[in-house]
Amino acid sequence: MSREIPPTGKRSGPGSSPELRASHADRDRVVDVLRVAAGDGRLTAAELDERLEAALSARTVGELVALTTDLPPVSASGVATVAEVKDVLRIDQRFSPVTRVGRWVVPRRLELAVEWCEVTLDFTQAVITQDTLRIDMDMQGETLTLVTKPGVVVDTDGLRLEHSKIKIRQDPDPGAPTTLRVELVGRKIHGRVVVRPPRRTFGQWLLRKPLSLPAGD
């Protein structure tokens, strides 16, 4: 039977004493776990900041384990998911739609070089492991759509528009702590940039209920 891996990535056993000195890799793994938990809505921004500070200053494995005892255990597959985070993801495409939905892993930086492509980036269930995503844009034609959730904010101050428009709709909970800041820089020629929350279901529209996300997102 396979055993779960503690957030530090070490297996339980005689060689994993809580008093064992923590390495830089141990701290980095716990930082990734905490950021994923915040992206899933399990930690507030204040809790994340407090635990990150404690993780970076931790001296022993026991101190690190204490920071994640109330979070789901990290399995080997969970560690692999964190490892898939890319520093830079480049999308270079023409005439075909680009879509990122579901539990896609948000890179640290995205280079978007597309012509006449509809582009949709849906952050509602995305795996977020850092607090900032920079999108370097060179986009001509069609619409860039960013689907956000409470805690995801979009900054368009660095974006140059040429014959284009921006439409931004606030999330249902504008007071939520920021978990991801998306910075759009570069240029958009022709077309639109749309920032919006998830669409209501037909039942939510009929009942006029506030839009809620699935548990853990």
Side-chain angles (χ1 to χ4, degrees):
M1 180 181 297
S2 61
R3 293 189 295 180
E4 289 176 338
I5 303 174
T8 59
K10 298 179 179 294
R11 294 186 182 277
S12 58
S16 59
S17 167
E19 297 309 313
L20 187 67
R21 286 283 179 163
S23 67
H24 291 310
D26 292 331
R27 296 185 189 95
D28 290 343
R29 279 189 286 267
V30 170
V31 165
D32 284 336
V33 171
L34 294 172
R35 284 179 171 163
V36 169
D40 286 342
R42 300 181 189 277
L43 297 175
T44 66
E47 289 172 328
L48 176 62
D49 288 343
E50 180 181 353
R51 296 194 191 196
L52 286 177
E53 183 178 354
L56 294 174
S57 61
R59 292 179 297 176
T60 67
V61 171
E63 293 174 28
L64 292 174
V65 171
L67 297 174
T68 57
T69 53
D70 59 345
L71 300 175
V74 178
S75 64
S77 60
V79 173
T81 298
V82 172
E84 291 170 4
V85 178
K86 295 183 179 179
D87 287 330
V88 181
L89 173 62
R90 180 174 177 83
I91 298 176
D92 194 339
Q93 197 157 308
R94 294 183 179 182
F95 308 116
S96 299
V98 175
T99 304
R100 294 292 186 275
V101 297
R103 294 191 67 80
W104 65 288
V105 181
V106 177
R108 294 181 174 86
R109 184 160 65 88
L110 174 62
E111 295 180 353
L112 197 59
V114 297
E115 295 181 16
W116 305 104
C117 301
E118 288 280 349
V119 179
T120 302
L121 304 177
D122 188 334
F123 294 96
T124 55
Q125 298 182 47
V127 177
I128 300 170
T129 62
Q130 72 281 338
D131 57 10
T132 303
L133 167 63
R134 176 187 170 105
I135 302 180
D136 290 299
M137 290 179 55
D138 186 3
M139 181 174 179
Q140 179 175 348
E142 302 296 349
T143 301
L144 167 64
T145 302
L146 305 180
V147 184
T148 62
K149 63 180 179 179
V152 176
V153 298
V154 179
D155 181 353
T156 61
D157 290 346
L159 184 62
R160 185 173 79 253
L161 299 176
E162 300 179 20
H163 310 290
S164 301
K165 295 182 179 180
I166 292 181
K167 181 179 180 181
I168 299 179
R169 287 179 52 197
Q170 287 285 345
D171 287 317
D173 184 7
T178 300
T179 55
L180 178 66
R181 180 182 183 85
V182 181
E183 299 177 349
L184 300 182
V185 299
R187 64 175 185 169
K188 177 72 173 75
I189 304 174
H190 301 291
R192 299 189 303 159
V193 175
V194 175
V195 179
R196 62 170 178 82
R199 299 192 188 282
R200 292 176 182 269
T201 65
F202 183 65
Q204 289 169 333
W205 182 84
L206 286 177
L207 298 174
R208 300 296 197 276
K209 288 184 177 180
L211 184 64
S212 60
L213 296 172
D217 292 313

